[in-house]
């Protein structure tokens, strides 16, 4: 399939919209009421600090909704305004935040059902409206919806689209796309659908395995077994690792993506020499500005004296998880929660331990006695209103 040609054709269809409906003023009030916070605004104006009795709160200087998320949510609200009576679907969560997705359900936006990892589009009919979420949809899903005669509202973040364009360039130059991402994450699934030959690596450790193989220090059968579910069909490491380009899931840890890029550049330089490097390695910057800003702000925040850290965002939010990684790497007592209700009035907290599939862990005596400084950040899918409610619960605990 010529994915570039299909995308170009889709963009010219009168049943496709990626610019909104000019109804921003009509939905502005609803968005402000649901997601914005005067308290957070005042904390921003006070150098991102709040003091209340024994409690001090220190906010990261970049957190919460990014531009791409704001755009996607606003477009979803505009879609309901523009199609007040039509049946509206969304192919996945609009963003990885439970409160935002619940608001859409209250607006009678239906979510495509998923059974054992497979989406069921059987209920979607010709003429239905289908929203593509901020992290995109696979080209196969777009093709299905287009052929079914649906009205497609595409809220894909432009930074994600930039990555798609990058893997298209890899394909044009017959390069294998090394995608730094989580193989089952919706964005990585979408990106790989636009790629030609690809291999997904989760982290620097997996990238090093690939680099070692390129330099002749790996076992073919072990390699194929390791990456069996993380590569394009028919992937042959002896054939497909001769020409590489690097791309990434936009929410991955910036520093790791950069190091993976440098690793493969050094590897190809070592194998093919400087004269032929450009024939074997393509480099494009696909790191999202918003992700980078939030990670940089987190690194600055954890340099300050903190008694504990609260990271707010969906448990399936990759960018939120990486913020938590930064806190944990500094040895800070840190908790990842998805909603304010995880903090109990009895000074307990239910949180998601890092890199564990287990159920939520409950911890008592969450807020220590005496003066306490709490660092707070939130993922790019978390509204300010949610952060406000977390702070209010911290204030109530500090007073009890």
């Amino acid at each position: 399939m010529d994915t570039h040609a299909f995308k170009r054709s889709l963009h010219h269809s009168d049943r496709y919209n990626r610019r909104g409906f000019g109804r921003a003023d009509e939905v502005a009030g609803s968005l402000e009421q649901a997601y914005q916070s005067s308290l957070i605004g005042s904390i921003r104006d006070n150098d991102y600090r709040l003091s209340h009795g024994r409690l001090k709160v220190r906010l990261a200087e970049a957190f919460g909704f990014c531009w791409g998320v704001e755009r996607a949510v606003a477009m979803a609200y505009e879609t309901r305004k523009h199609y007040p009576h039509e049946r509206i679907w969304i192919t996945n969560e609009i963003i990885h935040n439970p409160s935002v997705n619940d608001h859409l359900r209250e607006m009678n936006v239906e979510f495509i059902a998923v059974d054992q990892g497979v989406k069921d589009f059987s209920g979607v009919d010709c003429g239905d409206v289908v929203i593509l979420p901020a992290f995109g949809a696979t080209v196969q899903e777009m093709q299905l919806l287009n052929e079914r005669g649906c009205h497609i509202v595409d809220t894909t973040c432009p930074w994600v689209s930039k990555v798609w364009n990058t893997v298209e360039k890899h394909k044009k130059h017959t390069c294998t796309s090394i995608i730094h991402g989580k193989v089952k994450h919706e964005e990585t699934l979408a990106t790989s659908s636009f790629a030609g030959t690809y291999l997904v690596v989760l982290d620097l450790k997996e990238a090093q395995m690939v680099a070692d193989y390129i330099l002749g220090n790996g076992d073919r059968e072990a390699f194929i077994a390791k990456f069996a579910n993380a590569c394009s069909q028919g992937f042959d490491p002896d054939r497909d690792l001769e020409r590489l380009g690097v791309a990434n899931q936009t929410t991955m840890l910036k520093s790791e993506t950069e190091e993976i890029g440098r690793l493969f550049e050094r590897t190809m330089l070592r194998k093919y020499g400087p004269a032929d490097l450009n024939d074997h390695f393509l480099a494009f910057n696909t790191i999202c500005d918003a992700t980078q800003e939030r990670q940089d702000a987190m690194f600055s925040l954890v340099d300050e004296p903190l008694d504990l850290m609260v990271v707010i965002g969906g448990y399936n939010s990759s960018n939120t998880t990486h913020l938590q990684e930064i806190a944990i790497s500094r040895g800070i007592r840190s908790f990842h929660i998805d909603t304010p209700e995880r903090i109990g009035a009895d000074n307990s907290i239910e949180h998601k331990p890092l890199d564990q599939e287990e159920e939520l862990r409950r911890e008592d005596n969450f807020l220590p006695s005496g003066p306490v400084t709490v660092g707070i950040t939130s993922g790019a899918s978390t509204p300010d209103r949610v952060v406000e409610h977390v702070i209010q619960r911290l204030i109530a605990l500090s007073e009890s």
Side-chain angles (χ1 to χ4, degrees):
M1 179 183 181
D2 186 338
T3 54
H4 182 71
F6 168 74
K7 188 166 61 172
R8 185 172 59 248
S9 173
L10 181 65
H11 288 180
H12 286 90
S13 169
D14 58 4
R15 290 184 285 103
Y16 174 86
N17 185 301
R18 59 171 173 163
R19 300 185 183 277
F21 299 96
R23 295 175 173 267
D25 291 343
E26 296 178 47
V27 301
S30 297
L31 291 169
E32 180 176 359
Q33 182 178 5
Y35 304 123
Q36 295 182 19
S37 161
S38 58
L39 173 62
I40 298 303
S42 66
I43 297 175
R44 281 193 174 101
D45 293 341
N46 190 44
D47 195 29
Y48 297 85
R49 301 173 189 274
L50 177 144
S51 294
H52 183 91
R54 68 185 184 91
L55 174 69
K56 291 184 179 179
V57 170
R58 181 71 171 93
L59 285 179
E61 293 190 8
F63 66 95
F65 270 12
C66 63
W67 174 80
V69 164
E70 288 182 348
R71 171 182 173 273
V73 175
M75 284 183 67
Y77 274 59
E78 283 191 44
T79 301
R80 181 78 279 178
K81 279 284 185 182
H82 192 75
Y83 296 103
H85 305 298
E86 285 80 357
R87 195 175 189 185
I88 299 178
W89 300 84
I90 187 164
T91 61
N92 211 302
E93 295 180 332
I94 184 75
I95 55 176
H96 288 320
N97 182 271
S99 64
V100 176
N101 291 298
D102 285 345
H103 286 160
L104 292 181
R105 290 185 177 93
E106 291 168 3
M107 295 161 57
N108 292 323
V109 174
E110 300 185 52
F111 287 63
I112 298 295
V114 179
D115 183 16
Q116 296 182 340
V118 178
K119 294 180 185 177
D120 180 7
F121 288 92
S122 61
V124 180
D125 294 325
C126 177
D128 285 357
V129 180
V130 183
I131 300 171
L132 310 183
F135 34 74
T138 68
V139 67
Q140 291 82 8
E141 290 174 357
M142 295 183 199
Q143 186 178 34
L144 181 153
L145 296 170
N146 184 53
E147 292 174 350
R148 195 163 292 187
C150 298
H151 298 276
I152 298 173
V153 180
D154 188 353
T155 79
T156 303
C157 174
W159 276 102
V160 174
S161 297
K162 180 180 178 181
V163 179
W164 295 353
N165 292 335
T166 294
V167 298
E168 291 280 8
K169 291 175 184 176
H170 294 166
K171 188 164 52 178
K172 181 179 179 181
H173 290 86
T174 63
C175 288
T176 291
S177 295
I178 302 292
I179 304 172
H180 176 212
K182 299 177 179 179
V183 69
K184 294 183 179 181
H185 191 280
E186 299 90 337
E187 183 187 328
T188 295
L189 290 171
T191 296
S192 62
S193 77
F194 282 96
T197 306
Y198 69 86
L199 181 71
V200 180
V201 296
L202 175 63
D203 51 25
L204 189 59
K205 181 180 178 181
E206 289 192 358
Q208 186 65 59
M209 291 177 61
V210 179
D212 289 342
Y213 192 90
I214 291 171
L215 296 175
N217 300 315
D219 177 83
R220 175 182 170 86
E221 297 306 317
F223 186 98
I224 291 173
K226 169 66 178 176
F227 294 102
N229 297 316
C231 61
S232 49
Q233 187 173 5
F235 185 89
D236 183 341
D238 296 317
R239 178 194 64 208
D240 296 327
L241 294 176
E242 292 185 356
R243 294 168 56 83
L244 305 180
V246 176
N248 70 301
Q249 181 183 312
T250 58
T251 54
M252 299 301 281
L253 194 61
K254 167 201 167 188
S255 58
E256 190 167 41
T257 293
E258 291 177 331
E259 183 57 35
I260 287 171
R262 289 191 292 267
L263 170 65
F264 284 114
E265 184 174 25
R266 292 193 305 268
T267 300
M268 303 311 266
L269 178 64
R270 181 176 170 184
K271 182 165 184 176
Y272 297 103
D276 293 327
L277 176 63
N278 290 340
D279 291 331
H280 293 274
F281 182 74
L282 287 179
F284 299 99
N285 178 15
T286 59
I287 296 173
C288 167
D289 280 350
T291 299
Q292 177 177 329
E293 289 169 358
R294 280 149 184 75
Q295 291 173 3
D296 289 346
M298 185 64 168
F299 278 114
S300 295
L301 180 56
V302 296
D303 280 340
E304 299 194 13
L306 303 173
D307 295 300
L308 61 93
M309 185 81 205
V310 178
V311 179
I312 311 161
Y315 294 133
N316 56 346
S317 167
S318 179
N319 77 88
T320 306
T321 300
H322 290 306
L323 295 176
Q324 174 75 332
E325 282 181 9
I326 294 170
I328 297 297
S329 71
R330 297 298 179 88
I332 298 173
R333 185 169 171 252
S334 185
F335 303 92
H336 177 185
I337 62 174
D338 60 344
T339 65
E341 290 73 24
R342 300 299 182 188
I343 299 175
D346 59 353
N347 198 23
S348 66
I349 187 168
E350 288 185 317
H351 66 104
K352 180 72 165 61
L354 184 65
D355 293 334
Q356 295 187 32
E357 298 297 329
E358 65 185 64
E359 296 181 359
L360 298 183
R361 181 181 297 171
R362 175 189 167 95
E363 186 164 330
D364 296 321
N365 302 315
F366 157 61
L367 198 68
S369 59
V372 58
T373 301
V374 181
I376 292 180
T377 192
S378 61
S381 298
T382 304
D384 282 1
R385 183 62 60 87
V386 172
V387 180
E388 173 189 330
H389 291 163
V390 168
I391 293 174
Q392 288 173 340
R393 287 186 174 243
L394 291 173
I395 290 173
L397 286 181
S398 72
E399 294 175 339
S400 61

